[in-house]
Amino acid sequence: MHHIHLAEGMRLRFPARNTDFDQGVEIGIVAALMSQDLMEFTRRISSENLGQMRALVEQFGYRLIEGAEDGDFVEIRFYSRNARPRLRVVHSGT
């Protein structure tokens, strides 16, 4: 059993359920967010769920970038393939 990230500072856990159930809930939450056609969002998911998450991302037309790992979890940033890259002005100082 582990905590499932819903939003910043908000987590769920299902004490009477197994890991497969927890991973299914994580996948369901991310699928619901992608079905809303968000351009970008970040989620904290179980590292064990990363393979299944990659397959889901392909189906929805998103790409993911792995961020910081924290124990058994990894922070993932999801980007819609329709999202344009963000350009930044960089000052060289010369």
Side-chain angles (χ1 to χ4, degrees), residues 8-94:
E8 189 64 39
M10 188 182 304
R11 300 179 300 175
L12 283 177
R13 66 185 184 120
F14 299 94
R17 301 296 182 151
N18 64 15
T19 302
D20 292 338
F21 179 84
D22 292 343
Q23 289 179 354
V25 171
E26 282 182 340
I27 291 290
I29 291 170
V30 172
L33 290 169
M34 285 191 267
S35 71
Q36 294 176 22
D37 294 326
L38 300 174
M39 289 299 198
E40 175 184 333
F41 63 95
T42 302
R43 304 295 302 165
R44 187 173 171 258
I45 66 163
S46 166
S47 300
E48 294 177 5
N49 224 0
L50 200 49
Q52 189 172 358
M53 196 63 69
R54 284 190 179 109
L56 183 70
V57 162
E58 287 295 318
Q59 295 295 316
F60 274 93
Y62 276 77
R63 57 191 166 87
L64 63 82
I65 296 177
E66 293 179 47
E69 288 188 40
D70 179 19
D72 294 333
F73 295 91
V74 62
E75 187 165 293
I76 305 290
R77 183 163 294 261
F78 297 86
Y79 294 97
S80 169
R81 294 220 170 123
N82 298 328
R84 302 178 99 189
R86 292 184 187 172
L87 301 177
R88 289 184 271 179
V89 177
V90 179
H91 181 63
S92 67
T94 57

